[in-house]
Amino acid sequence: MPCYRCGARQTDPVRGASPWKRGVRQETQVLICPDCQRLHDLDLDSCATCGSQSLICRLGEVECRSCGSVRLARAFGPAEVGAPPGLSAEVEAALNRVLGRA
């Protein structure tokens, strides 16, 4: 996956932690290259609870790494168009069963 801002591609990492960071933009997880991380306006989504931009998106949910707040991701783009009626309710019910929500 390339950097969402500049399109740079990740290369094979050297030993240790990757200098690339993850973020969430328009409810989609994106990668941010080290050069773009230096910019102050990355236009990333932020947590509604604490305002942090340390978010991850997985299994239709967005989780804040700072405060632990979890919410369902809103659908954007083609997923909204042409989806069978009731599909999102079925997906939400399945997620609730799998994640043990009431």
Side-chain angles (χ1 to χ4, degrees):
M1 176 186 300
C3 175
Y4 88 96
R5 236 178 123 83
C6 70
R9 294 250 177 215
Q10 255 184 316
T11 57
D12 288 336
V14 294
R15 285 192 172 272
S18 172
W20 287 62
K21 300 293 180 196
R22 291 182 289 179
V24 175
R25 184 170 187 260
Q26 295 180 348
E27 306 296 311
T28 303
Q29 187 152 317
V30 296
L31 284 177
I32 308 148
C33 72
D35 291 335
C36 289
Q37 288 175 40
R38 294 185 193 103
L39 301 174
H40 295 285
D41 182 25
L42 292 175
D43 194 27
L44 298 173
D45 295 352
S46 58
C47 177
T49 304
C50 71
S52 172
Q53 289 186 337
S54 297
L55 303 176
I56 57 170
C57 188
R58 63 175 177 248
L59 295 175
E61 293 183 330
V62 176
E63 179 181 344
C64 178
R65 295 286 213 154
S66 295
C67 71
S69 173
V70 177
R71 64 175 169 77
L72 289 176
R74 295 180 306 271
F76 277 93
E80 291 181 324
V81 179
L87 179 63
S88 61
E90 289 177 30
V91 171
E92 184 174 351
L95 280 172
N96 288 339
R97 281 194 307 275
V98 169
L99 298 174
R101 295 186 193 147

